[in-house]
Amino acid sequence: SIVVDDANILIEFYLDSNMENCIFCDMIEGKMSCNMIYHDDDCIVILDKYPIDNGHSLIITKKPYEKLTDMGVDEVAKLFSKIPKIANAIMSATNADAFSIAQNNGKAAKQIVPHVHIHIIPRYNATGTLWTKRKILSDIELDDLSQKIKNYF
């Protein structure tokens, strides 16, 4: 894996993203590969290709909302109610000590892909908590980790 010190590289990469050219929509529709660890009628969960820490995953709505404020209250509640089940599977598979949750709305909030998603970021006592450094994992590393997490559902 490679370490990226600045998340701005990722932001620049997706700067022109919009719902007409949405990589998350492509993943949901099966047009683009991803390391999916969970799915149901409302969402998919994938490993982040540029993780902040081992097991960093994204819960992505199947409906193409850009921001939480575009969703109904019941939809937001249903989305966030999935976190315990998903976080428990990720933590069990990665032996994480804790986890952080992040959810950004709009470019000013550093939302890279304009499609509602929640970050679940496992945290480890041995490595501390970093927000800006990200790794670029190989496809083999992503495949191995996604299979390990799937085994906990």
Side-chain angles (χ1 to χ4, degrees):
S1 46
I2 301 167
V3 176
V4 177
D5 284 327
D6 189 356
N8 287 329
I9 293 169
L10 300 175
I11 293 167
E12 288 174 22
F13 181 75
Y14 294 113
L15 199 55
D16 295 324
S17 291
N18 54 48
M19 283 302 189
E20 291 82 42
N21 187 26
C22 172
I23 62 168
F24 289 166
C25 296
D26 288 347
M27 290 175 187
I28 291 163
E29 294 168 11
K31 296 177 186 175
M32 184 177 205
S33 66
C34 62
N35 292 90
M36 190 179 310
I37 60 173
Y38 176 83
H39 67 92
D40 61 24
D41 292 340
D42 306 308
C43 74
I44 66 169
V45 182
I46 65 169
L47 288 175
D48 193 312
K49 181 105 173 153
Y50 308 103
I52 290 174
D53 222 328
N54 188 44
H56 180 172
S57 300
L58 306 174
I59 306 173
I60 304 167
T61 60
K62 284 188 175 177
K63 290 183 181 176
Y65 297 111
E66 184 175 342
K67 299 174 185 169
L68 279 180
T69 52
D70 298 333
M71 299 173 68
V73 172
D74 291 341
E75 290 173 300
V76 173
K78 191 172 184 182
L79 176 63
F80 276 80
S81 74
K82 298 170 191 293
I83 292 171
K85 177 181 181 175
I86 295 164
N88 280 326
I90 294 166
M91 289 184 59
S92 294
T94 61
N95 294 313
D97 298 301
F99 68 96
S100 296
I101 298 171
Q103 203 289 316
N104 304 315
N105 290 274
K107 285 184 181 180
K110 304 297 186 202
Q111 182 181 10
I112 296 170
V113 179
H115 186 127
V116 169
H117 57 287
I118 301 169
H119 296 258
I120 297 179
I121 307 162
R123 298 303 189 167
Y124 305 90
N125 290 328
T127 59
T129 302
L130 299 173
W131 285 101
T132 57
K133 289 190 180 197
R134 290 181 176 245
K135 296 177 186 173
I136 299 175
L137 299 177
S138 71
D139 289 341
I140 293 171
E141 289 172 309
L142 287 166
D143 289 342
D144 290 347
L145 183 56
S146 65
Q147 189 54 53
K148 189 174 182 181
I149 294 170
K150 284 181 197 178
N151 292 336
Y152 282 91
F153 282 102

